[in-house]
Amino acid sequence: MAEGEKSFIDKLKEDRGAALMALVALLLIIFGVFAVLGGAAVVTLNPPTNLRATVMNNDIKLTWDHSIDYPDPCMGYNAYLSTIAGQLGVLQNGEPVADNKYTIRDVSPGTYYATVRCTDVNGNEDGNLNQVEVKVEILPPSGLSIIINNGEEYTNKRDVTLALSATNAEECTNANEDMAWSAWGPYTVEKAWTLTENAGGVCEEKTVYYKCRNSGVESSAVSDTIILDTTKPSVSFNVLSIENNLVALQIFAQDDCDKNLDCHVFAGDQQVASIQNVAGEVTRTVRVPYGKFYLTVSCIDDALNTGTATLEIDAKAPKNITNDTTTISIKINDDAPTTTSLNVKLTLFARIKGEVPDACYYSSNEMGLVGPEPYTTSRSWTLDNTAPEHSRTYTVCYRCEKGNEDARACDSIRYVVEGEGDGDGGGGGGGGDENVPPRNLKIEIIGKRPFCIGSNCFIQILVPDREVTKWNEVDLDLSSSGATECKVWEEPPPGIIYIGDPEEMAPWSADLRNGIVAFSLSPKVELEMPDFQLKIVIVPDGLRTVHYKCRNDKGSTGPINDSIWYDATKPDPVSSLAGEYRTQLGEGDIGLPIINIKLTWAPAVDNSWEWAGYANKGVKLYTIERYYTLAGDFAKRVYTLDPEDYTPAQLGCAEGENWMALECTHTDFDLPPALTTQGGKMCYDISAWDYVGWQSDKETVCVDVPASEPIDENPYIEYVAIYTRGVIGIGDGGGEEILTSEQTIQPIDQQQTIFGTTTQTQVPLVLLAELGDRSPPPIPSGDMYTRTTAVWVDVMAENAEKCRLRNNGAQKTEWSSWMNYDGNPTRFTWTLLDIEGSRTVQVQCKNANGVESSIASDSIILDYTPPKHPLVTLLAQYIETCERNWIYFTWGGVFSDEISGIKSYTLKEYTKTLSGGGGGKGQPAPVWTETGSWTLPADQTSFYDYVFVKDATYKYNIIACDNAGNCNDVGVSTDEVTPTKNPYNVQCE
């Protein structure tokens, strides 16, 4: 060693820092750390930059610019959140975030400090502590609305009903215009409320306010108004003249609140005139029946307050128009079949050879003869001075006389003792029916038509209609009093010639006296001539009339008739259908200047236009079906979009009473982004619907769409799938978890949905096609049924930053606010419209530049009503055979479910045992214990029970469950069955 040069040990002694470093290096060498690391160099990561944070509700969305080391060696990012500045805090993500954005959800209110660090494959981070301060505040409830009495303008009662809605509300309160707020209460969608009294005027506008709060943070108040009018109109009138049966009236009617009143004039119980918009004095001449009666003027205001005035008049028939017809009738309580009061009202009418009687008499076995009295159209009557102990029938007779002529009629009513019911026993008898021909005939034709029309009617439900029928098979609602037999026949429609009189050919039947009977109207008949491509209508549809007549041994009554429109013809197809591809709007069009296709066509024509007096003539709906093909797709796949229904008014071709529109127009702004970017052909099928659900043939037009921008710039929705969610209780209130069903995935071009049978708690993951692959991606189908409005909506989209949802029903609801699209797919929590049936949710997404996608949708059937059991047909019996004995149980027509249909039955067996009693304490009490349970498919309607014990007593209960998971918890039970032998105790000859 050279002189003056210090040894390594001497240097260590002089430099403590160097000594420490040397010691560390020595230890690392000893333990082989460098060997373990394989000699790799220490990696230094550069942090991300420009960290930003935004708050939406209780979510924090972090975005940043990628590190210059991304994606290698920085393979992802870790996000941290701290409540103290300068401290790293808690890791928020499980796996490193590959994107440059991340959302931290459901953060409690407060101030936070967020940090994002780079991480490599070994878990090393860049070590930065660059933080952004974030404040999460409690937001007040939003979207408040209040509607009083379903939006009515007037009310005559202070007690009203409030329809309320709010988002993110915990408690709410209301106040009248005095601003005296009610106590805070839980959020509810409906509330009973009492308005303040009118202070000065007879009617005043009332205001009801509504506000809510969330964790103490209150919203602004919203309000609705309604006019409170509790005073009836002032009504009086003078009779200016009476000429024959024409009465000239001077009517005075006014209301301090409603300036225009609707008034009606009654002659006795018969309405003879209706006068609209009466304000003050009005003069009218009305035609009334001949005779003496009370004339009443009744006026009603918009709040449904009614004012009346009454005078007795006598409209005398002149001799030169008097006929010689004698007519008399009496009705007890307006022909009601029963009464629980002995005090009744008699409605009367009598003409003796066309003239008003001089005097009338009333009689009954209980009250004797009363009269003579002046003729009147109504009077009160007491059936009996002593209330009977049991239900019985009373008969009251009515006789009027004019000179030496008289006429007589009787009517009966059954007095029902409350609590006893209306049995068939008791005295009295139908004296009225034994002395006069049949009376009170009524016929009503009841047709059928679909409950809804259009492309969204997935479940066909038929409803009765008394004006029009789609089919010639109808029901007749018939009733009569005192008849022994009746007949019905149809008036021959055009094109039908009977050999003989239809009335004479119709048979008499006692089954036609009362009740609902099936009847076949004459169908529409067409003659096809294929050689001439011609179809000739032999018997058209249109008005059909059915007559009704009854008789007894005193004579016959009728005929009377009823008519119904029979519509068996679908509308003609639309014509002159044309489509135009446009990049701008045309003159007079409304909207944004974006790519669109304008469709025009001449309206469809329905044959009901020829029917004078028919209220539902013409086309009621148009269905537009859209589908497209892409340029360059050698497979020529067809992509089908959801159909849309439009009323003629929405298309500018509404029809009037006596006129039709010349042209319908529709502009399609929702062209698929894949079509507008890649180019191809957009096609439309348009059809028309009439009121009873006949759909016209479809007319088609296709429009060429050129390619435009690159495909990866516009947002595009791949699919939407709805799944049921949440915990709900059916019947027992306990609730059960609703599981989503696994779905079989199928290509879009097949346009069919296949539903699997296994269940799972998560939606299956779907492997999506690469962007460059032109084959359609597989599309999850979603659930088919749900029994709760709480659902998940899965959305798979490309180039989307935000999406919004809305319900699409009979009335479209508003769009939700824009929500973050955070992954492929993104699951949104949603609430369906609370209306049972097929429910559709529409989705639209947009990119960072605000460009919106076309609307996509999915549907699910909402059914929360358990199956019903209107008709019970059950049989349980013990059967012995040579091979084996069993209990046979069968059912039919027991349950029905109109929405989702029956899925399965649960059959439960109960065995009777005796409990208690003995020792002089009475008889043992029967106890039923469940001893068996089976689940059976919906198409099984019988069951064999081979496991039982002789001399034991059994009964069976059946419960039905529908496809949505609702079960009829009550079920229906059989009679008791007691086997006399064990199952294998058999004897054969």
Side-chain angles (χ1 to χ4, degrees), residues 808-824:
N808 185 26
Q811 297 292 330
K812 291 185 178 179
T813 58
E814 297 297 326
W815 285 106
S816 69
S817 59
W818 289 102
M819 297 174 285
N820 290 334
Y821 182 82
D822 292 331
N824 295 323

PDB file of all heavy atoms in Angstrom, residues 808-824:
ATOM      1  N   ASN A 808     -91.091   3.005 -22.659  1.00  0.00           N
ATOM      2  CA  ASN A 808     -91.893   3.234 -23.851  1.00  0.00           C
ATOM      3  C   ASN A 808     -93.167   2.432 -23.713  1.00  0.00           C
ATOM      4  O   ASN A 808     -93.162   1.213 -23.781  1.00  0.00           O
ATOM      5  CB  ASN A 808     -91.134   2.807 -25.109  1.00  0.00           C
ATOM      6  CG  ASN A 808     -91.911   3.143 -26.368  1.00  0.00           C
ATOM      7  OD1 ASN A 808     -92.713   4.064 -26.366  1.00  0.00           O
ATOM      8  ND2 ASN A 808     -91.681   2.403 -27.425  1.00  0.00           N
ATOM      9  N   GLY A 809     -94.299   3.142 -23.429  1.00  0.00           N
ATOM     10  CA  GLY A 809     -95.570   2.460 -23.242  1.00  0.00           C
ATOM     11  C   GLY A 809     -96.638   3.086 -24.104  1.00  0.00           C
ATOM     12  O   GLY A 809     -96.378   3.614 -25.179  1.00  0.00           O
ATOM     13  N   ALA A 810     -97.897   3.024 -23.592  1.00  0.00           N
ATOM     14  CA  ALA A 810     -98.993   3.668 -24.316  1.00  0.00           C
ATOM     15  C   ALA A 810     -98.730   5.165 -24.456  1.00  0.00           C
ATOM     16  O   ALA A 810     -99.047   5.785 -25.451  1.00  0.00           O
ATOM     17  CB  ALA A 810    -100.308   3.417 -23.593  1.00  0.00           C
ATOM     18  N   GLN A 811     -98.125   5.759 -23.414  1.00  0.00           N
ATOM     19  CA  GLN A 811     -97.673   7.136 -23.463  1.00  0.00           C
ATOM     20  C   GLN A 811     -96.188   7.129 -23.141  1.00  0.00           C
ATOM     21  O   GLN A 811     -95.782   6.688 -22.078  1.00  0.00           O
ATOM     22  CB  GLN A 811     -98.430   8.010 -22.451  1.00  0.00           C
ATOM     23  CG  GLN A 811     -99.918   8.089 -22.725  1.00  0.00           C
ATOM     24  CD  GLN A 811    -100.221   8.846 -23.996  1.00  0.00           C
ATOM     25  OE1 GLN A 811     -99.475   9.738 -24.385  1.00  0.00           O
ATOM     26  NE2 GLN A 811    -101.315   8.508 -24.648  1.00  0.00           N
ATOM     27  N   LYS A 812     -95.345   7.601 -24.064  1.00  0.00           N
ATOM     28  CA  LYS A 812     -93.908   7.573 -23.827  1.00  0.00           C
ATOM     29  C   LYS A 812     -93.550   8.482 -22.658  1.00  0.00           C
ATOM     30  O   LYS A 812     -94.043   9.588 -22.539  1.00  0.00           O
ATOM     31  CB  LYS A 812     -93.149   8.013 -25.081  1.00  0.00           C
ATOM     32  CG  LYS A 812     -93.240   7.016 -26.231  1.00  0.00           C
ATOM     33  CD  LYS A 812     -92.378   7.452 -27.398  1.00  0.00           C
ATOM     34  CE  LYS A 812     -92.436   6.439 -28.529  1.00  0.00           C
ATOM     35  NZ  LYS A 812     -91.616   6.844 -29.689  1.00  0.00           N
ATOM     36  N   THR A 813     -92.648   7.993 -21.793  1.00  0.00           N
ATOM     37  CA  THR A 813     -92.187   8.784 -20.670  1.00  0.00           C
ATOM     38  C   THR A 813     -90.955   9.576 -21.077  1.00  0.00           C
ATOM     39  O   THR A 813     -90.389   9.389 -22.149  1.00  0.00           O
ATOM     40  CB  THR A 813     -91.863   7.881 -19.468  1.00  0.00           C
ATOM     41  OG1 THR A 813     -90.870   6.928 -19.875  1.00  0.00           O
ATOM     42  CG2 THR A 813     -93.100   7.136 -19.014  1.00  0.00           C
ATOM     43  N   GLU A 814     -90.540  10.476 -20.192  1.00  0.00           N
ATOM     44  CA  GLU A 814     -89.386  11.315 -20.480  1.00  0.00           C
ATOM     45  C   GLU A 814     -88.098  10.507 -20.357  1.00  0.00           C
ATOM     46  O   GLU A 814     -88.017   9.506 -19.651  1.00  0.00           O
ATOM     47  CB  GLU A 814     -89.351  12.501 -19.509  1.00  0.00           C
ATOM     48  CG  GLU A 814     -90.555  13.435 -19.637  1.00  0.00           C
ATOM     49  CD  GLU A 814     -90.625  14.101 -21.003  1.00  0.00           C
ATOM     50  OE1 GLU A 814     -89.549  14.383 -21.572  1.00  0.00           O
ATOM     51  OE2 GLU A 814     -91.733  14.314 -21.498  1.00  0.00           O
ATOM     52  N   TRP A 815     -87.056  10.995 -21.058  1.00  0.00           N
ATOM     53  CA  TRP A 815     -85.736  10.375 -20.953  1.00  0.00           C
ATOM     54  C   TRP A 815     -85.170  10.610 -19.548  1.00  0.00           C
ATOM     55  O   TRP A 815     -85.454  11.621 -18.909  1.00  0.00           O
ATOM     56  CB  TRP A 815     -84.777  10.977 -21.972  1.00  0.00           C
ATOM     57  CG  TRP A 815     -84.973  10.534 -23.384  1.00  0.00           C
ATOM     58  CD1 TRP A 815     -85.521  11.250 -24.395  1.00  0.00           C
ATOM     59  CD2 TRP A 815     -84.603   9.266 -23.943  1.00  0.00           C
ATOM     60  NE1 TRP A 815     -85.525  10.519 -25.555  1.00  0.00           N
ATOM     61  CE2 TRP A 815     -84.964   9.290 -25.316  1.00  0.00           C
ATOM     62  CE3 TRP A 815     -84.014   8.109 -23.432  1.00  0.00           C
ATOM     63  CZ2 TRP A 815     -84.752   8.208 -26.155  1.00  0.00           C
ATOM     64  CZ3 TRP A 815     -83.801   7.036 -24.287  1.00  0.00           C
ATOM     65  CH2 TRP A 815     -84.165   7.087 -25.630  1.00  0.00           C
ATOM     66  N   SER A 816     -84.381   9.662 -19.075  1.00  0.00           N
ATOM     67  CA  SER A 816     -83.621   9.877 -17.850  1.00  0.00           C
ATOM     68  C   SER A 816     -82.487  10.854 -18.132  1.00  0.00           C
ATOM     69  O   SER A 816     -82.244  11.249 -19.280  1.00  0.00           O
ATOM     70  CB  SER A 816     -83.044   8.543 -17.341  1.00  0.00           C
ATOM     71  OG  SER A 816     -82.017   8.082 -18.228  1.00  0.00           O
ATOM     72  N   SER A 817     -81.785  11.253 -17.091  1.00  0.00           N
ATOM     73  CA  SER A 817     -80.578  12.046 -17.304  1.00  0.00           C
ATOM     74  C   SER A 817     -79.503  11.154 -17.917  1.00  0.00           C
ATOM     75  O   SER A 817     -79.565   9.928 -17.864  1.00  0.00           O
ATOM     76  CB  SER A 817     -80.096  12.628 -15.968  1.00  0.00           C
ATOM     77  OG  SER A 817     -79.824  11.587 -15.055  1.00  0.00           O
ATOM     78  N   TRP A 818     -78.496  11.780 -18.520  1.00  0.00           N
ATOM     79  CA  TRP A 818     -77.392  11.024 -19.111  1.00  0.00           C
ATOM     80  C   TRP A 818     -76.588  10.369 -17.993  1.00  0.00           C
ATOM     81  O   TRP A 818     -76.217  11.016 -17.017  1.00  0.00           O
ATOM     82  CB  TRP A 818     -76.492  11.925 -19.948  1.00  0.00           C
ATOM     83  CG  TRP A 818     -77.136  12.383 -21.227  1.00  0.00           C
ATOM     84  CD1 TRP A 818     -77.696  13.599 -21.479  1.00  0.00           C
ATOM     85  CD2 TRP A 818     -77.292  11.621 -22.423  1.00  0.00           C
ATOM     86  NE1 TRP A 818     -78.197  13.656 -22.749  1.00  0.00           N
ATOM     87  CE2 TRP A 818     -77.957  12.456 -23.367  1.00  0.00           C
ATOM     88  CE3 TRP A 818     -76.936  10.328 -22.805  1.00  0.00           C
ATOM     89  CZ2 TRP A 818     -78.261  12.025 -24.646  1.00  0.00           C
ATOM     90  CZ3 TRP A 818     -77.238   9.906 -24.090  1.00  0.00           C
ATOM     91  CH2 TRP A 818     -77.898  10.751 -24.997  1.00  0.00           C
ATOM     92  N   MET A 819     -76.297   9.065 -18.122  1.00  0.00           N
ATOM     93  CA  MET A 819     -75.549   8.311 -17.135  1.00  0.00           C
ATOM     94  C   MET A 819     -74.272   7.766 -17.759  1.00  0.00           C
ATOM     95  O   MET A 819     -74.216   7.507 -18.972  1.00  0.00           O
ATOM     96  CB  MET A 819     -76.413   7.153 -16.599  1.00  0.00           C
ATOM     97  CG  MET A 819     -77.667   7.628 -15.879  1.00  0.00           C
ATOM     98  SD  MET A 819     -78.767   6.258 -15.403  1.00  0.00           S
ATOM     99  CE  MET A 819     -79.495   5.850 -17.004  1.00  0.00           C
ATOM    100  N   ASN A 820     -73.244   7.586 -16.930  1.00  0.00           N
ATOM    101  CA  ASN A 820     -71.938   7.161 -17.433  1.00  0.00           C
ATOM    102  C   ASN A 820     -72.017   5.755 -18.018  1.00  0.00           C
ATOM    103  O   ASN A 820     -72.625   4.852 -17.440  1.00  0.00           O
ATOM    104  CB  ASN A 820     -70.892   7.180 -16.319  1.00  0.00           C
ATOM    105  CG  ASN A 820     -70.552   8.593 -15.885  1.00  0.00           C
ATOM    106  OD1 ASN A 820     -70.689   9.524 -16.661  1.00  0.00           O
ATOM    107  ND2 ASN A 820     -70.137   8.752 -14.648  1.00  0.00           N
ATOM    108  N   TYR A 821     -71.365   5.594 -19.164  1.00  0.00           N
ATOM    109  CA  TYR A 821     -71.183   4.270 -19.749  1.00  0.00           C
ATOM    110  C   TYR A 821     -69.768   3.832 -19.394  1.00  0.00           C
ATOM    111  O   TYR A 821     -68.792   4.371 -19.887  1.00  0.00           O
ATOM    112  CB  TYR A 821     -71.370   4.315 -21.273  1.00  0.00           C
ATOM    113  CG  TYR A 821     -71.236   2.964 -21.925  1.00  0.00           C
ATOM    114  CD1 TYR A 821     -72.307   2.086 -21.944  1.00  0.00           C
ATOM    115  CD2 TYR A 821     -70.040   2.562 -22.495  1.00  0.00           C
ATOM    116  CE1 TYR A 821     -72.193   0.833 -22.536  1.00  0.00           C
ATOM    117  CE2 TYR A 821     -69.919   1.312 -23.086  1.00  0.00           C
ATOM    118  CZ  TYR A 821     -70.983   0.448 -23.099  1.00  0.00           C
ATOM    119  OH  TYR A 821     -70.865  -0.790 -23.670  1.00  0.00           O
ATOM    120  N   ASP A 822     -69.655   2.826 -18.486  1.00  0.00           N
ATOM    121  CA  ASP A 822     -68.361   2.515 -17.876  1.00  0.00           C
ATOM    122  C   ASP A 822     -67.782   1.179 -18.288  1.00  0.00           C
ATOM    123  O   ASP A 822     -66.768   0.766 -17.732  1.00  0.00           O
ATOM    124  CB  ASP A 822     -68.506   2.537 -16.342  1.00  0.00           C
ATOM    125  CG  ASP A 822     -68.765   3.951 -15.827  1.00  0.00           C
ATOM    126  OD1 ASP A 822     -68.307   4.897 -16.483  1.00  0.00           O
ATOM    127  OD2 ASP A 822     -69.431   4.086 -14.795  1.00  0.00           O
ATOM    128  N   GLY A 823     -68.365   0.457 -19.173  1.00  0.00           N
ATOM    129  CA  GLY A 823     -67.795  -0.832 -19.525  1.00  0.00           C
ATOM    130  C   GLY A 823     -68.600  -1.535 -20.575  1.00  0.00           C
ATOM    131  O   GLY A 823     -69.634  -1.053 -21.018  1.00  0.00           O
ATOM    132  N   ASN A 824     -68.118  -2.691 -20.992  1.00  0.00           N
ATOM    133  CA  ASN A 824     -68.768  -3.450 -22.038  1.00  0.00           C
ATOM    134  C   ASN A 824     -69.173  -4.814 -21.504  1.00  0.00           C
ATOM    135  O   ASN A 824     -68.338  -5.710 -21.386  1.00  0.00           O
ATOM    136  CB  ASN A 824     -67.829  -3.624 -23.230  1.00  0.00           C
ATOM    137  CG  ASN A 824     -67.507  -2.313 -23.893  1.00  0.00           C
ATOM    138  OD1 ASN A 824     -68.349  -1.445 -23.997  1.00  0.00           O
ATOM    139  ND2 ASN A 824     -66.266  -2.155 -24.324  1.00  0.00           N
TER     140      ASN A 824
END
